[in-house]
Structure formats: structure tokens, C-alpha cells
Amino acid sequence: MKRREDQIIADLGVAMKFKLMRHRSKGGWKHKSKDTLLKELKREVGELEEAIVAGKNPEHIISEAADVANYLAFIIEKVK
């Protein structure tokens, strides 16, 4: 049986992949600088905060959290 943390990470990964697939036509992120990605990450964190404060449904909050996680992943890839 998976530990709860493992399930949380697995669920987040599914949400991240879904969001990446939905936004694939937007041109990607590889051409963006770390500074631009950081700016966009901050915007996404703001959207997540708004969703939480507004009491949006869990699916909406998970979707916003996946956006934040994706931007974190993009930044990690840039600094490797």
C-alpha cells in the first residue's frame, strides 16, 4: 500500500501532465528565461491563492496547484 505522500505526488503528477497537454499549443517554456519563468510562477501562485481564498472547488484548486508545480519544474530544468 502506498503511503499518503506517494499518492499525493502521483496525483499531482497526473494533474501536471494534464495541464501540460492542455497548454501544449501555447509555444512551450524552453525559450523563456529563468526571470520570465519566475515572474510567471509568481502569477500562478497568485491564481492559486485567489482560488483558495475564494473557496473554489477542489478540482480548480488542484488545477492551479498543478500550474505552480509545472513552473517550478520548468525552473528546475533551466538551472540543471
Side-chain angles (χ1 to χ4, degrees), residues 29-46:
W29 56 271
K30 292 180 182 179
H31 65 283
K32 296 180 180 183
S33 70
K34 289 180 288 216
D35 290 337
T36 297
L37 291 171
L38 182 58
K39 180 180 174 185
E40 292 175 358
L41 169 63
K42 290 176 182 180
R43 184 192 71 233
E44 294 296 342
V45 169

Side-chain angles (χ1 to χ4, degrees), residues 42-55:
K42 290 176 182 180
R43 184 192 71 233
E44 294 296 342
V45 169
E47 291 176 10
L48 174 59
E49 181 179 18
E50 288 173 15
I52 292 169
V53 170

Side-chain angles (χ1 to χ4, degrees), residues 29-30 32-35 37-38 71-80:
W29 56 271
K30 292 180 182 179
K32 296 180 180 183
S33 70
K34 289 180 288 216
D35 290 337
L37 291 171
L38 182 58
Y71 273 93
L72 290 170
F74 302 158
I75 291 168
I76 288 169
E77 181 61 26
K78 281 284 183 177
V79 299
K80 278 183 156 182

Side-chain angles (χ1 to χ4, degrees), residues 5-70:
E5 295 87 0
D6 294 336
Q7 188 60 53
I8 291 167
I9 296 301
D11 292 346
L12 178 59
V14 169
M16 290 171 68
K17 287 179 186 179
F18 178 77
K19 293 299 292 251
L20 285 173
M21 287 175 29
R22 276 186 66 202
H23 297 293
R24 212 161 272 211
S25 64
K26 289 187 174 183
W29 56 271
K30 292 180 182 179
H31 65 283
K32 296 180 180 183
S33 70
K34 289 180 288 216
D35 290 337
T36 297
L37 291 171
L38 182 58
K39 180 180 174 185
E40 292 175 358
L41 169 63
K42 290 176 182 180
R43 184 192 71 233
E44 294 296 342
V45 169
E47 291 176 10
L48 174 59
E49 181 179 18
E50 288 173 15
I52 292 169
V53 170
K56 297 287 185 176
N57 65 50
E59 292 81 16
H60 185 88
I61 293 171
I62 292 166
S63 177
E64 294 299 343
D67 285 337
V68 170
N70 280 331

